[in-house]
Amino acid sequence: MIRFENVTKAYDRKSRPALERVTLEVDRGEFAFLVGSSGSGKSTFLKLVLKETRADAGAVYVAGQNVANVPSWRVPKFRRGIGVVFQDFRLLNNKTVFANVAYAMQVLGKSRSAIRREVPDVLKLVGLEDKEGRKPTELSGGEQQRVAIARAIVNKPGILLADEPTGNLDPTTSVGIMNILDRINQNGTTVVMATHDDDIVNTMRKRVIELEGGHIVRDEARAQYTSMIPIVPAAAAATDDDGAPRSRRARLSQGEPDPDVLPPRIERKTGNEVAR
Amino acid sequence: MRLAFILSEIGGGLRRNLSMVISVVLVTCVSLTFVGTAALLQMQITQMKGFWYDKVQVAIFLCSDTSNAPNCASGPATAEQKAGIQTLLNSAAVKPYIKSSVFESQADALKHFREQFANSPIKDTVTADQLPSSFRISLVDPQKYQIINETFSATPGVDSVIDQRKLLESLFTFMNAASVVAIGIAALMIVCAVLLIATTIRLSAQSRQREIGIMRLVGASKTVIQLPFVLEGVIAAAVGALLASAAVWAIATFFVQGFLAGQFKDTPFIAANQALYIGPLLLILGVALAAISSSVSLRRHLKV
Ligand SMILES: Nc1ncnc2c1ncn2[C@@H]1O[C@H](COP(=O)(O)OP(=O)(O)OP(=O)(O)O)[C@@H](O)[C@H]1O
Ligand SMILES: [Mg+2]
């Protein structure tokens, strides 16, 4: 469904590439986690799938089609096959839940009757059938993310990309979101999800693709993940801008990690100690 | 459905940016009014040419009590001198150039003068003996004025030979200059309008970044994304153009027909309904300008 062949992407010549010679295949119907520290290239990977940005070298195939060969006027149609969910929901706050989901159908020119028929179905799938008249501001973060997911899948894309969809949510709410993504995946949609959340990865036991500095350093089925735990002073740990209440895990503060000065990591394979 | 969506987007956009939209309407209106005024001037020139070039007349003014040309040193033209001029007009050398000639007596001159200046106070201060009598000549070829001038200017009893076409030409020059000024102002205002439309569209697009982002992600076509913005500018410009058409019509009706025509009865003026032909042109111009400037602005500021 998604195939990368020696893909390199550098945003500018001076810095190291965001992705370098990445080769990878995600099959139809698969569920894959994309993990790795901040700046490792996860979002860049998703952008390449969406043809939001161009690969400098190598080829990206989506649904059997080389995205480089999709002419710009065909890009909108190409994107209809891909749903996207972000960490920050990106809902329209002046529209109701129903209208937010319907919007994705309206802009494609879907008929009113199709919208009235299909929007309630997806809202039911994400468990929001009783909240369709609310505005996003009247919803919890988890509910807002479910609206965003409903909007991403309402046009029945074959692929769902999620860039840290649980990044703003507490662990319990995240589980609810993961259940929905799992259900969507079981309905046949290929799901690729970039995340920092070890707990989720370890609970789901799906394929894990780990990136580091633009390279794939690990690709395992039914795998686990423990984000690196650098030895950082308390002050740096306090600048954690992730928003997630995961105090047991110190993280790198924002900024691009320089591989050479990267703090020592603990052995990854002992990640099983993470309780859940 | 897609149309309904686009229309509702346009409605929302116009409401959100009401003050910008109003300024686009006004600037477009003013600039196109100048364009329309220039067009009216040109129509007026055409109208006057059509009228005068048929009747163009060279006037041979005879000496009167008040003339002080050297040729008139011996006093007002005598009956023999007048007969001599008439003979010369009928001579083989001059006759071929002349279509017709009419003698205007001093009494006739006063009558015509009073008609021409009916609305001016000077008409009552002039008496018949202050006005010269004249031969009014229309030429087969209006360009051949010089031949008449050479033949008659030294003839006894002739005060002066005047090419009335020359007089009109200076009026036309004035009107052409006025159109150039109007077009110049219009061009400046159009630049303002274009920049304003481009800015409005850019602001409008920026204020809807989130919607645009969502539309792109779910695969809305370029048309669906851009059309509401382009049409926003086009509708504002079209309203401005309609107002400008109304203004041009009002100028033609109330100023030209209502005022000037009353003031200058001897001059043919364009009819008010001729201004109606300008309306559609202004509309096309306004819409084209808005469409071009908003698409250029979108191309630069809205990645699709
Ligand atoms: N638009 C851009 N222009 C220039 N450099 C960019 C751009 N987007 C990303 N980068 C760089 O590319 C590298 C990879 O970024 P990317 O967003 O893919 O990381 P990520 O794995 O998604 O990180 P995070 O977990 O923090 O979201 C980073 O070094 C980043 O600075
Ligand atoms: Mg990212």
Side-chain angles (χ1 to χ4, degrees):
Chain A
M1 200 63 175
I2 300 172
R3 188 150 52 92
F4 275 48
E5 282 176 3
N6 264 316
V7 173
T8 298
K9 168 72 194 174
Y11 287 101
D12 47 69
R13 265 176 207 95
K14 291 181 288 290
S15 51
R16 61 159 182 80
L19 282 183
E20 200 167 8
R21 288 196 300 280
V22 169
T23 299
L24 163 75
E25 180 150 10
V26 178
D27 289 331
R28 185 180 297 272
E30 211 176 344
F31 193 123
F33 284 114
L34 215 50
V35 298
S37 56
S38 194
S40 57
K42 304 185 293 296
S43 300
T44 304
F45 181 95
L46 299 181
K47 278 186 204 157
L48 285 166
V49 175
L50 270 174
K51 200 174 158 76
E52 275 274 316
T53 186
R54 233 187 71 246
D56 297 313
V60 176
Y61 293 87
V62 174
Q65 190 174 23
N66 187 339
V67 299
N69 296 340
V70 178
S72 64
W73 62 269
R74 285 253 325 165
V75 167
K77 195 137 194 216
F78 164 77
R79 291 207 179 121
R80 287 175 208 177
I82 307 172
V84 198
V85 180
F86 297 96
Q87 180 173 2
D88 57 356
F89 319 140
R90 304 200 187 170
L91 300 177
L92 301 173
N93 286 328
N94 55 348
K95 290 191 192 299
T96 64
V97 166
F98 185 95
N100 263 285
V101 178
Y103 192 75
M105 296 184 75
Q106 281 171 346
V107 300
L108 301 191
K110 297 284 172 65
S111 74
R112 206 169 299 221
S113 62
I115 290 173
R116 268 199 298 266
R117 192 172 56 240
E118 289 166 31
V119 173
D121 284 351
V122 274
L123 284 178
K124 195 164 177 191
L125 178 69
V126 301
L128 284 177
E129 61 269 39
D130 54 339
K131 301 215 164 73
E132 60 176 41
R134 300 249 200 120
K135 296 277 173 70
T137 47
E138 300 159 357
L139 296 176
S140 74
E143 287 165 339
Q144 289 186 48
Q145 190 60 290
R146 284 192 266 164
V147 178
I149 293 172
R151 184 181 63 197
I153 60 167
V154 73
N155 290 317
K156 305 191 169 52
I159 300 173
L160 179 64
L161 305 180
D163 198 351
E164 303 186 36
T166 59
N168 280 340
L169 306 176
D170 68 61
T172 330
T173 316
S174 301
V175 170
I177 295 296
M178 291 319 298
N179 288 338
I180 290 167
L181 292 181
D182 199 24
R183 211 176 308 154
I184 291 166
N185 176 240
Q186 266 149 35
N187 290 346
T189 306
T190 310
V191 179
V192 178
M193 170 170 159
T195 185
H196 284 290
D197 197 325
D198 330 13
D199 299 352
I200 283 175
V201 176
N202 296 332
T203 317
M204 297 282 293
R205 294 286 181 148
K206 301 282 189 187
R207 176 177 177 188
V208 173
I209 301 158
E210 184 173 356
L211 290 170
E212 192 185 309
H215 298 271
I216 296 180
V217 294
R218 188 165 67 111
D219 187 350
E220 277 177 45
R222 307 184 60 78
Q224 299 198 335
Y225 172 62
T226 302
S227 50
M228 51 194 177
I229 304 180
I231 299 161
V232 282
T239 64
D240 186 351
D241 59 346
D242 213 85
R246 275 169 277 163
S247 52
R248 65 194 135 95
R249 203 190 305 141
R251 308 172 139 274
L252 273 181
S253 55
Q254 65 264 72
E256 184 184 305
D258 183 339
D260 296 336
V261 298
L262 215 56
R265 328 167 91 208
I266 62 159
E267 174 48 52
R268 189 182 293 120
K269 293 293 180 222
T270 64
N272 305 359
E273 98 275 1
V274 179
R276 174 61 75 85
Chain B
M1 191 64 214
R2 205 174 313 201
L3 186 71
F5 174 76
I6 290 174
L7 288 180
S8 80
E9 285 291 293
I10 296 169
L14 291 176
R15 239 173 294 123
R16 252 190 305 273
N17 297 333
L18 195 59
S19 59
M20 285 299 270
V21 168
I22 288 174
S23 49
V24 169
V25 168
L26 292 180
V27 172
T28 323
C29 169
V30 173
S31 54
L32 292 181
T33 303
F34 275 102
V35 174
T37 308
L40 281 182
L41 276 167
Q42 289 305 316
M43 287 167 93
Q44 175 65 19
I45 288 175
T46 315
Q47 180 101 12
M48 288 173 84
K49 271 188 183 160
F51 182 81
W52 288 103
Y53 272 52
D54 286 345
K55 302 188 181 179
V56 82
Q57 284 183 325
V58 173
I60 301 174
F61 290 104
L62 305 188
C63 294
S64 69
D65 288 330
T66 51
S67 42
N68 40 21
N71 218 15
C72 296
S74 52
T78 60
E80 297 94 79
Q81 285 172 333
K82 186 195 148 193
I85 294 165
Q86 185 67 66
T87 314
L88 201 50
L89 280 171
N90 292 329
S91 72
V94 178
K95 183 95 178 144
Y97 299 107
I98 292 173
K99 194 151 73 181
S100 65
S101 65
V102 175
F103 180 72
E104 187 188 55
S105 67
Q106 286 185 305
D108 291 337
L110 182 65
K111 197 175 127 233
H112 290 149
F113 182 87
R114 287 201 166 145
E115 272 171 17
Q116 189 167 7
F117 294 91
N119 294 321
S120 166
I122 63 162
K123 75 168 199 276
D124 297 324
T125 67
V126 172
T127 56
D129 49 346
Q130 286 175 298
L131 295 169
S133 55
S134 59
F135 283 96
R136 298 278 169 161
I137 298 162
S138 102
L139 299 174
V140 176
D141 175 3
Q143 308 291 338
K144 295 279 162 53
Y145 155 74
Q146 209 49 44
I147 289 167
I148 306 298
N149 189 25
E150 278 162 15
T151 315
F152 289 92
S153 54
T155 306
V158 171
D159 179 325
S160 56
V161 181
I162 292 194
D163 181 3
Q164 294 202 320
R165 220 173 121 260
K166 276 246 166 68
L167 295 177
L168 266 182
E169 246 157 32
S170 64
L171 178 61
F172 290 159
T173 309
F174 170 76
M175 288 170 74
N176 275 322
S179 333
V180 168
V181 170
I183 289 288
I185 295 174
L188 273 181
M189 296 292 296
I190 283 175
V191 171
C192 292
V194 164
L195 293 178
L196 190 59
I197 290 170
T199 311
T200 306
I201 296 307
R202 196 188 75 212
L203 289 179
S204 184
Q206 273 167 1
S207 74
R208 273 184 277 171
Q209 280 298 344
R210 177 165 282 223
E211 281 89 341
I212 291 166
I214 293 167
M215 286 195 260
R216 292 177 53 218
L217 281 178
V218 301
S221 66
K222 211 168 163 169
T223 318
V224 171
I225 297 177
Q226 293 195 341
L227 205 58
F229 295 104
V230 173
L231 287 184
E232 212 172 280
V234 165
I235 287 173
V239 173
L242 288 177
L243 290 179
S245 310
V248 170
W249 177 82
I251 289 172
T253 306
F254 300 112
F255 180 67
V256 177
Q257 280 301 331
F259 173 73
L260 287 182
Q263 292 288 301
F264 306 100
K265 289 214 165 64
D266 57 328
T267 311
F269 284 103
I270 52 167
N273 62 12
Q274 276 179 275
L276 295 178
Y277 296 114
I278 297 177
L281 295 178
L282 294 185
L283 192 62
I284 291 170
L285 183 62
V287 164
L289 283 175
I292 293 168
S293 64
S294 48
S295 348
V296 169
S297 168
L298 282 181
R299 188 151 318 144
R300 289 188 45 199
H301 300 288
L302 191 139
K303 202 181 104 205
V304 177

